[in-house]
Amino acid sequence: MQNSSDRPLILITNDDGYQAKGINELAVCLRDLGDLVVFAPDGARSGMGSAITSLIPIKYKLIKQEPGLTIYSCTGTPVDCVKLALNEVLDRQPDLLVSGINHGGNMAICVNYSGTMGAAEEGCIFDIPSIGVSLLDHHADADFTECCRLGRLLARRVLREGLPHGTFLNLNVPKLPHVKGIKVCRQADGRWVREYKRSENASGESVFWLTGDFESAKPIHPENDMLALDCGYASLVPCKVDVTDYDFMNTLREWQL
Amino acid sequence: MQNSSDRPLILITNDDGYQAKGINELAVCLRDLGDLVVFAPDGARSGMGSAITSLIPIKYKLIKQEPGLTIYSCTGTPVDCVKLALNEVLDRQPDLLVSGINHGGNMAICVNYSGTMGAAEEGCIFDIPSIGVSLLDHHADADFTECCRLGRLLARRVLREGLPHGTFLNLNVPKLPHVKGIKVCRQADGRWVREYKRSENASGESVFWLTGDFESAKPIHPENDMLALDCGYASLVPCKVDVTDYDFMNTLREWQL
C-alpha cells in the first residue's frame, strides 16, 4: 500500500469485525486526525484475548479505498490483524493504533480476555502508541456518540504526547448520554462467578454457555475502574506488557529452588 | 464428581490437548503429590492466550477414572477448561493448578499468547496457586524427564507455601539433559520480527503462515528469562494478573483529560 502523506497514520482494528457499528463510528470521528487504515477481522472475534492463529494460514482482502481511508478485512484474530498489517501491508509505522470501539465493556480483568485489548497490547509491543476503546453497551446499534467524543479526545492527546515503551491504554465509557469525564484508574480486582448456563443440544448432551456476574474483591479500591464507571465516569487504565511481579521475585529467590 | 480424599487436589490442564505427551508425563510425575484431575482441551489449542468461548457453547467428556486420577476432555480453550472444571465439575477448590507441560517455550512476551499461561492465569484469578510449565522443545515426542523433575520440585514447594493473591508462576525449561538449576527472572522485553511466511492456496490467493524470530530489546537485562534459558538454566518468572502501570497513572492525571 502506498501512503506518502505527511499526515499521521492511524491503524484501526477491533474484535467485532470490520462491519460493526463501533469501528465504523470510530473511523468517522478520527477521520480528520490522520490517514486511517482499518485492518480488522472479517467477523466477530469477541473473547479472543491475545490469541494468535498458528496452525492454519490467514489471509486478508481490500474492502474499500478512498483518500484518507483504506479498509481491509482479515480472517485472523485481532492480534493477527495487527501483526499482518504491520508485517505485510503497511509501508510505514503507524503513529497511533486505536482498537474498538468495542460493543461491551473491557474493564477490570476483562482486559485479559478481550480481543480489543489484545490488539491494543500488540500495537504496544510494536512500539506504536496504542489505545483500546470500549462502550458498556453490547447492542449492535448502540449509541457511540459520547464514546466517540472521549475516544477522539484521548487519541488526539496520545498522538501529541506518545506513550512510554511497553504501556498501552484501556478506555471504557459508560452507557450514558453525558459522561462526567475521564478518570485515571487502576484495574479492578475480582472475578466472574456463576459462569455457565447449562442447556441440552439436539443429541441430549449437556452444553455450557458462558455467562456470569462480576464479583469485586474486597476491599474495593477507590481508584478502580469498575467504581469510576458505576459513578458515571469513563475509566482510563494504563496497562503494561510486562506482567512480572517484581515484589515477589525476592521471596521466590529465598525458596532456593 | 466425588472427591472426598484428604490429599491435595491438583487440577492439570494444557493447550496441546489431553492426549499430548507433555500433560501425560506431568500427571505421572505429580501422581504421588495428590489426587489429580486432568481437564484439558480435546485437541491442540496453541496460541489461544486467554481466549474464551462466548459465541458457541462448550461441552466436556469423562475419558478415564481411576483412584487418584480422573481425566476429562473439553471442546473449549485452555481458559474455558479451567472455568468449566471449577464452575461445573469439581466439588472442591483445587490446592494447586499446573498447566502444561507445554511442547515449546513460553518465555518473554509469549506469556501473552500462550494458552498454557492463559490457563495458569485463570487458576490464579480463582485464587488457586497456579503454575505454567513449558519445555523448549516443540516435538510431539520430546524428552520431558528434566522438565518433570523441575516442575515437580516447584509444584511441591507451591503446595506447601502457596502464592500471593493475583500472582502465578511461569516456569520454562531448556531442552537439555541436565539443567543447571532454576533462576528467578523477569519477563524479557522484545518482539517478534519477520512474522509471516507467504504462500498460495489452491485458488492462487496469498495466505500467511505465522513464523518469526524473537528480537530482544536493548539493553538486555541480566535477569531476563531468555538469557537464563540461553545459559542453561530453567527460568521462573512470577506474573501478575493486574497489568496496571501504576508509575504512569500520575502522568496521565497531569494530562487533565
Side-chain angles (χ1 to χ4, degrees), chain A residues 47 52 58-59 83 87 113 122 157 165 167 187 189 195 205 208 223 238 240 243-245 253 255, chain B residues 47 52 58-59 83 113 122 157 165 167 187 189 195 205 208 223 238 240 243-245 253 255:
Chain A
I52 50 176
I58 58 170
K59 56 184 184 171
K83 285 184 180 294
N87 275 276
Y113 313 112
E122 189 64 26
R157 195 61 182 262
H165 172 73
T167 298
Q187 174 188 324
D189 186 11
E195 294 195 279
E205 297 171 310
F208 299 86
E223 282 184 336
K240 291 177 74 167
V243 296
T244 307
D245 182 348
R253 281 199 193 92
W255 286 10
Chain B
I52 50 177
I58 59 172
K59 56 185 184 171
K83 286 184 180 294
Y113 313 112
E122 190 63 27
R157 194 64 182 260
H165 172 72
T167 299
Q187 174 187 325
D189 186 13
E195 293 193 280
E205 298 172 309
F208 299 86
E223 283 183 336
K240 289 176 74 167
V243 296
T244 307
D245 182 349
R253 282 200 191 92
W255 287 10

Side-chain angles (χ1 to χ4, degrees), chain A residues 44 46-60 79-80 83-84 87-88 109 111-113 121-122 125-126 153-154 157-158 161-165 167 169 182 184-187 189-196 198 201 205-210 217 223 236-246 248-249 252-257, chain B residues 44 46-60 79-80 83-84 87-88 109 111-113 121-122 125-126 153-154 157-158 161-165 167 169 182 184-187 189-196 198 201 205-210 217 223 236-246 248-249 252-257:
Chain A
S46 288
M48 290 304 286
S50 286
I52 50 176
T53 305
S54 59
L55 303 176
I56 56 169
I58 58 170
K59 56 184 184 171
Y60 71 97
V79 166
D80 291 334
K83 285 184 180 294
L84 193 59
N87 275 276
E88 300 288 335
I109 55 166
V111 66
N112 189 34
Y113 313 112
E121 179 165 15
E122 189 64 26
I125 288 170
F126 277 87
L153 187 78
L154 182 62
R157 195 61 182 262
V158 171
E161 313 268 1
L163 289 172
H165 172 73
T167 298
L169 301 181
I182 296 177
V184 177
C185 298
R186 59 168 67 198
Q187 174 188 324
D189 186 11
R191 45 171 283 209
W192 294 85
V193 294
R194 296 176 290 279
E195 294 195 279
Y196 289 97
R198 186 192 294 242
N201 68 12
E205 297 171 310
S206 286
V207 299
F208 299 86
W209 298 86
L210 194 62
E223 282 184 336
L236 180 61
V237 177
C239 304
K240 291 177 74 167
V241 173
D242 181 5
V243 296
T244 307
D245 182 348
Y246 290 98
F248 193 57
M249 284 175 76
L252 264 188
R253 281 199 193 92
E254 285 162 14
W255 286 10
Q256 300 190 319
L257 289 160
Chain B
S46 288
M48 289 305 286
S50 285
I52 50 177
T53 304
S54 60
L55 303 176
I56 57 169
I58 59 172
K59 56 185 184 171
Y60 71 97
V79 167
D80 290 336
K83 286 184 180 294
L84 193 59
N87 275 277
E88 300 288 336
I109 54 166
V111 65
N112 189 36
Y113 313 112
E121 179 165 13
E122 190 63 27
I125 288 170
F126 277 86
L153 188 78
L154 183 61
R157 194 64 182 260
V158 170
E161 312 269 0
L163 288 173
H165 172 72
T167 299
L169 300 181
I182 295 177
V184 177
C185 298
R186 59 168 66 196
Q187 174 187 325
D189 186 13
R191 44 171 284 211
W192 294 85
V193 294
R194 297 177 289 281
E195 293 193 280
Y196 289 97
R198 186 194 293 241
N201 68 11
E205 298 172 309
S206 286
V207 299
F208 299 86
W209 297 87
L210 194 61
E223 283 183 336
L236 181 61
V237 178
C239 303
K240 289 176 74 167
V241 172
D242 180 5
V243 296
T244 307
D245 182 349
Y246 290 98
F248 194 58
M249 285 177 75
L252 264 187
R253 282 200 191 92
E254 286 162 13
W255 287 10
Q256 300 191 318
L257 288 160

Side-chain angles (χ1 to χ4, degrees), chain B residues 76-253:
Chain B
T77 66
V79 167
D80 290 336
C81 287
V82 176
K83 286 184 180 294
L84 193 59
L86 294 173
N87 275 277
E88 300 288 336
V89 183
L90 301 181
D91 65 355
R92 59 186 171 114
Q93 171 92 340
D95 301 286
L96 177 70
L97 180 150
V98 187
S99 179
I101 298 173
N102 192 58
H103 294 241
N106 282 316
M107 55 289 183
I109 54 166
C110 297
V111 65
N112 189 36
Y113 313 112
S114 159
T116 305
M117 292 311 300
E121 179 165 13
E122 190 63 27
C124 176
I125 288 170
F126 277 86
D127 271 328
I128 302 165
S130 297
I131 311 170
V133 184
S134 305
L135 175 66
L136 276 67
D137 186 343
H138 282 94
H139 293 92
D141 67 344
D143 180 357
F144 288 93
T145 315
E146 191 70 347
C147 191
C148 278
R149 181 178 71 81
L150 296 169
R152 186 189 143 85
L153 188 78
L154 183 61
R156 283 188 68 170
R157 194 64 182 260
V158 170
L159 264 177
R160 201 164 73 208
E161 312 269 0
L163 288 173
H165 172 72
T167 299
F168 54 108
L169 300 181
N170 183 14
L171 179 69
N172 280 275
V173 178
K175 182 186 170 180
L176 292 171
H178 301 289
V179 172
K180 289 183 188 168
I182 295 177
K183 262 214 159 87
V184 177
C185 298
R186 59 168 66 196
Q187 174 187 325
D189 186 13
R191 44 171 284 211
W192 294 85
V193 294
R194 297 177 289 281
E195 293 193 280
Y196 289 97
K197 179 177 168 173
R198 186 194 293 241
S199 67
E200 265 189 17
N201 68 11
S203 314
E205 298 172 309
S206 286
V207 299
F208 299 86
W209 297 87
L210 194 61
T211 172
D213 305 300
F214 185 77
E215 203 171 75
S216 290
K218 302 286 181 317
I220 293 174
H221 194 283
E223 283 183 336
N224 98 27
D225 55 355
M226 294 285 284
L227 197 60
L229 290 158
D230 284 347
C231 295
Y233 290 89
S235 64
L236 181 61
V237 178
C239 303
K240 289 176 74 167
V241 172
D242 180 5
V243 296
T244 307
D245 182 349
Y246 290 98
D247 293 339
F248 194 58
M249 285 177 75
N250 282 333
T251 306
L252 264 187
R253 282 200 191 92

Side-chain angles (χ1 to χ4, degrees), chain B residues 36-49:
Chain B
L36 309 186
V37 175
V38 172
F39 200 102
D42 55 12
R45 299 288 191 286
S46 288
M48 289 305 286

Side-chain angles (χ1 to χ4, degrees), chain A residues 115-184:
Chain A
T116 305
M117 292 312 299
E121 179 165 15
E122 189 64 26
C124 176
I125 288 170
F126 277 87
D127 270 329
I128 302 166
S130 297
I131 312 169
V133 184
S134 305
L135 175 67
L136 276 69
D137 187 344
H138 282 95
H139 293 92
D141 67 342
D143 180 356
F144 288 94
T145 315
E146 190 71 347
C147 191
C148 278
R149 182 178 71 80
L150 297 170
R152 186 188 143 83
L153 187 78
L154 182 62
R156 284 188 67 169
R157 195 61 182 262
V158 171
L159 265 177
R160 202 164 74 209
E161 313 268 1
L163 289 172
H165 172 73
T167 298
F168 55 106
L169 301 181
N170 184 14
L171 179 69
N172 280 276
V173 178
K175 182 186 171 180
L176 292 171
H178 302 289
V179 173
K180 289 183 187 167
I182 296 177
K183 264 218 159 89
V184 177

